[in-house]
Amino acid sequence: EEGGFWMVEDQVSEHEENIRRELSEWQELFDERNRKFYYNRQTEESRFDDPRHAVYHCLYARIKLVSKMRDKLPFFAAVPRP
């Protein structure tokens, strides 16, 4: 059976797991002037802004959207998993 919020929730969970995997490659380090920076072990990218902020903000927005959809569309929220 198609439909139901379980499909959307599964997608959000999968997206969250991918984010965790990607972010696990980042290390918080300090340079010679004691400034904090972030280094990606896999890509060897360095940056001063924390890569987690934008990614988690996006994920939080998706989770919040699913919650609002669940409240506004209870019929679809009640569709059971097949």
Side-chain angles (χ1 to χ4, degrees):
E1 184 175 325
E2 289 192 23
F5 279 84
W6 56 268
M7 292 174 67
V8 175
E9 290 168 340
D10 287 352
Q11 290 173 352
V12 169
S13 292
E14 183 179 333
H15 184 65
E16 183 177 12
E17 184 56 37
N18 289 338
I19 286 172
R20 286 178 204 253
R21 198 174 314 113
E22 290 172 18
L23 290 178
S24 72
E25 296 298 326
W26 288 95
Q27 290 179 286
E28 185 177 289
L29 302 170
F30 292 89
D31 68 8
E32 62 279 350
R33 293 196 285 188
N34 209 30
R35 295 179 298 177
K36 187 186 328 183
F37 72 98
Y38 300 87
Y39 175 74
N40 187 306
R41 294 178 296 236
Q42 185 177 4
T43 65
E44 297 184 354
E45 176 188 356
S46 294
R47 58 197 288 178
F48 285 104
D49 61 313
D50 189 338
R52 297 172 291 195
H53 291 298
V55 173
Y56 278 128
H57 176 75
C58 233
L59 178 62
Y60 174 74
R62 284 182 182 208
I63 291 169
K64 193 172 178 179
L65 178 63
V66 170
S67 177
K68 284 185 178 188
M69 289 170 58
R70 184 179 275 289
D71 290 343
K72 300 278 185 193
L73 302 167
F75 172 77
F76 290 109
V79 172
R81 277 186 188 267

